[in-house]
Amino acid sequence: MPRLNTLIVSKDNHLIEATYMLSLSEQRLLLLTLARIDSRAILQHGICHTITASEIANSYNLPRDQAYELLIHVAERLYERSVVICNPDPERPDVSHLRTRWVASIRYLPSRGAIELIFAPAILPFLSQLKRKFSSYRLEHVAPMTSIYAIRLYELLIQWREAGTRTVEINWLRERFELGDKYPNIRDLKARVLNPAIDQINTHSDLWVNWEQHKRGRVVHALTFTFGPKPQADAPPTTALTTLKPATLKLTRAYVEQHAYPGESWEEAWERLGRKQEQQDTAGRLLG
């Protein structure tokens, strides 16, 4: 059985930026299966990928009986899930979106405490023979996460690992996470999605992350994430940018007034900059 720190997840960047919703258990099953694939080789349709309850238990620190129940029930739900990939084929610019299932079929092996998954044909080009515009990371960096948004956000950040920063529109992020009508208020979005995701990335992964919001008038329309590798972390599969430890802000009235966005009240600027200071303090502790 492969050790967790040897398992590498690789995905085409179009798939990382795709629109889909998976539960935590579905994410875990899918990522463990992907980590067993040689992303450089040809992945023929019809190949079975065997996952056992023991592998689930060992990878995610679960009791074996719970892992078996998870394996059976989650596989059934994963079969029903689909993913929407934007501009999937550079040779077919007329195709704006591709909708496909993740899994074409499932075989159950109760005597072995295992299942066999066969991926849907249309998803294979985004999982195998990856030569450019793909991202890789060690499964161990997301395995302890319990927020589905933390896993998704981590993947969106490692695409820009060498740059160390990424700005995304709020609506774009909401669409990728398939939030629909959930958390329409930015405060709810922060409390239920962004803050837990950032906290778990900072706690469990090989990255430290800060973020700040951008407003048009009084409406938050975009987020900028700044991130880098933690010292002493195992080197990631791809080159990372070394980032210096951030300095702690001093929130004087003059500082807040100087750094307020156009149209932002003093209280709003104070709250935003205070959050930034808290994130930088967290990053400072992680950086030692």
Side-chain angles (χ1 to χ4, degrees), residues 265-279:
S265 69
W266 189 92
E267 290 78 10
E268 291 170 335
W270 183 87
E271 179 184 357
R272 173 177 59 81
L273 294 169
R275 177 63 188 172
K276 183 176 182 179
Q277 176 176 320
E278 180 182 345
Q279 292 165 347

Side-chain angles (χ1 to χ4, degrees), residues 21 34 39 41 44 49 119 129 134 136 143 146 151 161 164 183 186 196 202 228 247 254 278:
M21 169 59 72
L34 295 180
S39 61
Q44 299 288 355
H49 305 276
F119 283 108
Q129 289 186 284
F134 70 95
S136 300
T146 56
I151 298 172
R161 195 194 298 270
Y183 321 130
I186 186 63
N202 279 327
E278 180 182 345

Side-chain angles (χ1 to χ4, degrees), residues 23-282:
S23 70
L24 176 63
S25 297
E26 292 161 356
Q27 280 269 41
R28 286 176 164 179
L29 174 58
L30 181 64
L31 292 177
L32 183 57
T33 308
L34 295 180
R36 302 281 301 278
I37 294 173
D38 183 352
S39 61
R40 298 162 298 179
I42 298 175
L43 186 58
Q44 299 288 355
H45 174 54
I47 293 178
C48 294
H49 305 276
T50 303
I51 300 296
T52 67
S54 296
E55 289 176 305
I56 294 286
N58 292 336
S59 298
Y60 299 110
N61 194 28
L62 297 173
R64 193 179 185 284
D65 57 346
Q66 181 181 341
Y68 182 72
E69 290 296 318
L70 180 151
L71 188 66
I72 298 303
H73 296 300
V74 170
E76 294 179 358
R77 294 201 303 270
L78 183 60
Y79 176 76
E80 301 295 334
R81 298 290 194 180
S82 64
V83 54
V84 178
I85 303 172
C86 297
N87 304 313
D89 188 350
E91 297 182 2
R92 288 288 309 277
D94 57 319
V95 179
S96 62
H97 296 80
L98 165 68
R99 179 181 292 275
T100 177
R101 291 179 183 268
W102 292 93
V103 176
S105 63
I106 305 170
R107 296 173 180 170
Y108 298 89
L109 310 172
S111 63
R112 295 170 52 188
I115 62 170
E116 292 178 343
L117 296 180
I118 298 178
F119 283 108
I123 203 73
L124 298 182
F126 304 95
L127 306 178
S128 63
Q129 289 186 284
L130 302 179
K131 298 178 181 179
R132 62 174 186 171
K133 294 185 179 180
F134 70 95
S135 301
S136 300
Y137 61 89
R138 289 192 173 94
L139 182 60
E140 65 176 331
H141 295 318
V142 300
M145 295 180 185
T146 56
S147 164
I148 57 175
Y149 307 116
I151 298 172
R152 291 296 311 276
L153 182 59
Y154 176 82
E155 291 185 341
L156 290 171
L157 295 183
I158 62 165
Q159 288 182 282
W160 294 66
R161 195 194 298 270
E162 293 187 4
T165 184
R166 181 168 194 179
T167 299
V168 297
E169 295 283 335
I170 290 282
N171 289 339
W172 183 90
L173 193 66
R174 291 181 59 86
E175 180 181 342
R176 295 309 178 275
F177 288 0
E178 267 198 1
L179 292 179
D181 296 330
K182 293 194 297 185
Y183 321 130
N185 186 290
I186 186 63
R187 293 181 183 273
D188 292 336
L189 187 68
K190 291 179 184 178
R192 303 297 296 273
V193 176
L194 296 173
N195 291 343
I198 294 297
D199 289 344
Q200 291 197 13
I201 291 173
N202 279 327
T203 300
H204 299 300
S205 81
D206 56 333
L207 298 179
W208 62 263
V209 184
N210 292 328
W211 67 283
E212 62 178 325
Q213 63 189 32
H214 306 292
K215 288 187 174 182
R216 290 194 183 109
R218 300 179 64 88
V219 178
V220 177
H221 74 95
L223 306 170
T224 293
F225 300 94
T226 305
F227 53 95
K230 298 173 185 174
Q232 309 304 320
D234 292 339
T238 55
T239 303
L241 177 70
T242 301
T243 306
L244 298 177
K245 178 178 177 179
T248 300
L249 296 171
K250 186 176 181 181
L251 293 184
T252 63
R253 174 169 287 274
Y255 182 93
V256 172
E257 291 176 350
Q258 181 181 0
H259 290 82
Y261 292 137
E264 189 176 39
S265 69
W266 189 92
E267 290 78 10
E268 291 170 335
W270 183 87
E271 179 184 357
R272 173 177 59 81
L273 294 169
R275 177 63 188 172
K276 183 176 182 179
Q277 176 176 320
E278 180 182 345
Q279 292 165 347
Q280 290 186 331
D281 289 344
T282 298

